[in-house]
């Protein structure tokens, strides 16, 4: 075992997804230190002529080349922009058009990083692939059955298992997460010690293909505006106009431009407005006033398009925890009803701004069981 708890690699061939960031650089370095035969693979997932201003792909590739040089490993480059457009971006647009708020990074993991990328790595003769995700994987035997479990990262503040809940047994069987037991606060120091110049590189933020660009502007290029009314959910009062339901998400406060509206004299009338619902048919956006408005809280949700990592559904009448969105701390819950196509989850406490299109991910202690897409 090395400092990250990695087993001796004994020359096992691993292809590491290299983004140009510090996490994947340190992941590759740790594997190399542990005796794996490591190759870096950089993938290009997005191609757009007007993107130079916001897209850092070129600089990232330069960084990857230098990292591979320092570590002493081969670098391969692959273009998955067609696969990305067909399998991730098309779904992203469809979901927005239907008024939901999807999470393309989740689909990018199950369809690109752990499918197209994994297949390509196997073609290159790899035994396993590795990424710099903060998550863990372990082989677990109970009741005579052996399975791969997806685990939360040791560094709970950085855990990314939420984004990986759509992986299956075959994908996990081929995966190493070298940062499973590493704290983010130590990663930059490790990179510096290893002589990797990206030790002080800024972490990437946001959805990969959108990068730092203004989101609404980006979406408008693909989904034209469709103006409609904004109404108060409580009394149907006309509050203003929206430019398209797809530009808004449940719980959103900014960008409604109705802050100054005064209606009657009831107390609290100066509280901020939040998006509480969408009527897709009538093209009406419904808003409520105040963060604590009951319409923004839900004790139950229904999820579809389910993926259970072990290949079997969770138990009903059993206390688990779940995240109805990435940034929400784990919430105690029970699975009330579960079938192949749909599950209903009841939380111990009401959840704020449960949003269709986002994923609900279920955990039993540190083990990620899977989840589904909120409808
Ligand atoms: N363009 C890419 N080519 C190959 N692998 C990638 C690419 N982008 C991301 N990955 C892999 O997916 C992992 C998680 O990606 P994410 O975008 O969440 O990066 P991150 O957590 O900021 O990590 P990093 O510091 O490595 O960028 C990365 O650590 C890397 O292994």
């Amino acid at each position: 075992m090395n400092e990250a708890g990695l087993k001796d690699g004994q020359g096992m061939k691993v292809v590491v997804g290299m983004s140009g960031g510090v996490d994947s650089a340190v992941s590759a370095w740790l594997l190399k230190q542990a005796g794996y035969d490591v190759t870096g693979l950089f993938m290009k997932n997005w191609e757009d002529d007007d993107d130079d201003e916001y897209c850092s792909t070129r600089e990232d590739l330069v960084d990857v080349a230098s990292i591979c040089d320092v570590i002493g490993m081969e670098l391969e480059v692959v273009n998955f922009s067609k696969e990305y457009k067909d399998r991730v971006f098309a779904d992203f647009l469809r979901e927005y058009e239907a008024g939901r708020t999807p999470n393309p990074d989740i689909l990018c993991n199950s369809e690109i990083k752990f499918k197209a990328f994994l297949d390509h790595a196997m073609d290159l003769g790899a035994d396993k692939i590795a990424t710099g995700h903060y998550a863990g994987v372990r082989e677990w035997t109970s009741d005579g059955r052996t399975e791969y479990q997806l685990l939360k990262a040791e560094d709970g503040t950085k855990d990314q298992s939420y984004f990986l809940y759509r992986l299956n047994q075959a994908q996990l069987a081929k995966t190493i997460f070298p940062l499973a037991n590493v704290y983010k606060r130590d990663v930059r120091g490790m990179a510096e010690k290893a002589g990797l110049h990206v030790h002080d590189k800024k972490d990437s933020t946001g959805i990969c293909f959108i990068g730092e660009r203004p989101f609404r502007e980006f979406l408008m290029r693909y989904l034209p505006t469709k103006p409609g009314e904004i109404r108060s959910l409580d009394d149907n009062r006309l509050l203003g106009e929206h430019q398209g339901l797809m530009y808004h998400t449940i719980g959103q406060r900014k960008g409604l431009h109705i802050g100054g509206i005064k209606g009657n004299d009831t107390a609290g009338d100066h509280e901020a407005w939040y998006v509480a619902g969408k009527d897709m048919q009538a093209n009406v956006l419904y808003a409520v006033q105040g963060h604590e408005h009951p319409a923004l809280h839900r004790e139950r949700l229904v999820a579809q398009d389910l993926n259970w990592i072990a290949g079997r559904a969770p138990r009903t009448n059993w206390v688990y925890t779940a995240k109805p969105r990435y940034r929400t701390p784990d919430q105690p819950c029970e699975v009330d009803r579960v079938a192949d196509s749909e599950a209903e989850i009841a939380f111990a406490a009401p959840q704020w701004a449960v949003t269709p299109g986002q994923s609900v991910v279920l955990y039993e202690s540190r083990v990620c069981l899977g989840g589904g897409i909120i409808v």
Side-chain angles (χ1 to χ4, degrees):
M1 293 265 189
N2 71 359
E3 62 185 302
L6 282 171
K7 282 193 290 205
D8 185 350
Q10 298 178 342
M12 183 194 278
K13 188 165 164 114
V14 181
V15 170
V16 189
M18 301 297 290
S19 65
V22 68
D23 296 325
S24 48
V26 168
S27 300
W29 180 74
L30 287 168
L31 289 167
K32 180 86 177 181
Q33 296 301 303
Y36 289 83
D37 169 6
V38 195
T39 299
L41 182 58
F42 177 80
M43 49 182 189
K44 195 166 155 51
N45 291 339
W46 190 250
E47 275 182 333
D48 196 331
D49 294 342
D50 330 321
D51 280 348
D52 270 12
E53 191 186 342
Y54 298 110
C55 199
S56 59
T57 308
R58 225 164 294 154
E59 293 109 79
D60 288 338
L61 180 55
V62 171
D63 284 336
V64 168
S66 143
I67 293 161
C68 290
D69 220 32
V70 171
I71 296 176
M73 59 195 232
E74 296 275 310
L75 167 63
E76 301 268 347
V77 179
V78 64
N79 191 325
F80 286 138
S81 42
K82 167 141 188 7
E83 288 82 350
Y84 193 93
K85 260 213 167 111
D86 292 351
R87 301 192 209 163
V88 180
F89 192 64
D91 176 87
F92 167 88
L93 288 184
R94 249 192 329 267
E95 285 290 287
Y96 266 107
E97 210 163 10
R100 293 185 284 266
T101 308
N103 196 325
D105 290 338
I106 292 175
L107 211 51
C108 177
N109 282 330
S110 59
E111 292 298 321
I112 306 296
K113 289 179 184 165
F114 297 87
K115 196 171 274 174
F117 180 100
L118 175 62
D119 291 346
H120 187 72
M122 293 301 130
D123 289 345
L124 294 173
D127 299 303
K128 297 231 181 187
I129 60 164
T131 66
H133 283 106
Y134 287 85
V137 58
R138 74 174 171 199
E139 217 176 318
W140 189 252
T141 303
S142 105
D143 299 335
R145 192 168 38 199
T146 300
E147 65 195 32
Y148 290 89
Q149 292 184 330
L150 175 66
L151 302 179
K152 283 190 179 191
E154 180 67 27
D155 186 349
T157 64
K158 280 284 156 189
D159 174 53
Q160 291 176 308
S161 57
Y162 178 89
F163 296 104
L164 299 164
Y165 84 91
R166 301 196 73 82
L167 300 191
N168 60 32
Q169 289 291 301
Q171 290 165 318
L172 287 174
K174 293 279 177 203
T175 301
I176 303 175
F177 295 121
L179 301 184
N181 299 307
V182 176
Y183 281 79
K184 176 80 187 196
R185 61 170 181 264
D186 297 329
V187 162
R188 291 185 182 280
M190 286 175 165
E192 200 169 3
K193 193 172 103 188
L196 300 167
H197 75 288
V198 290
H199 66 87
D200 58 356
K201 184 170 171 178
K202 215 174 123 232
D203 285 331
S204 58
T205 52
I207 299 165
C208 54
F209 56 84
I210 298 174
E212 309 290 330
R213 84 188 88 210
F215 183 69
R216 190 184 290 205
E217 222 172 85
F218 175 79
L219 210 52
M220 269 181 193
R221 281 164 45 182
Y222 299 91
L223 304 174
T225 55
K226 197 176 168 201
E229 294 170 347
I230 306 177
R231 289 188 172 272
S232 159
L233 184 70
D234 286 324
D235 56 12
N236 212 30
R237 204 162 24 126
L238 186 64
L239 301 171
E241 190 188 69
H242 68 78
Q243 294 307 307
L245 292 177
M246 61 280 192
Y247 306 134
H248 299 280
T249 188
I250 306 297
Q252 177 188 342
R253 184 168 67 97
K254 287 193 187 129
L256 283 176
H257 307 299
I258 52 173
I261 299 258
K262 292 193 180 105
N264 48 41
D265 293 319
T266 52
D269 203 37
H270 298 289
E271 281 187 279
W273 289 90
Y274 293 84
V275 172
K278 298 177 181 186
D279 181 337
M280 295 305 291
Q281 215 105 58
N283 195 25
V284 174
L285 188 70
Y286 286 99
V288 294
Q289 230 171 346
H291 186 275
E292 294 314 312
H293 192 287
L296 291 169
H297 292 82
R298 297 231 185 293
E299 266 173 30
R300 323 176 71 79
L301 63 80
V302 173
Q304 292 179 350
D305 199 359
L306 308 169
N307 182 60
W308 305 117
I309 291 170
R312 58 177 186 281
R315 285 180 264 188
T316 50
N317 299 315
W318 189 261
V319 178
Y320 295 108
T321 62
K323 279 176 187 288
R325 60 173 64 205
Y326 175 53
R327 288 280 169 213
T328 307
D330 293 42
Q331 304 293 311
C333 68
E334 284 190 19
V335 180
D336 256 10
R337 176 167 72 74
V338 59
D340 284 350
S341 59
E342 197 169 277
E344 187 167 349
I345 293 174
F347 290 93
Q351 300 300 306
W352 194 78
V354 169
T355 305
Q358 292 284 291
S359 287
V360 60
V361 179
L362 210 63
Y363 293 87
E364 186 164 23
S365 184
R366 268 187 79 193
V367 181
C368 177
L369 302 177
I373 294 172
I374 299 166
V375 294

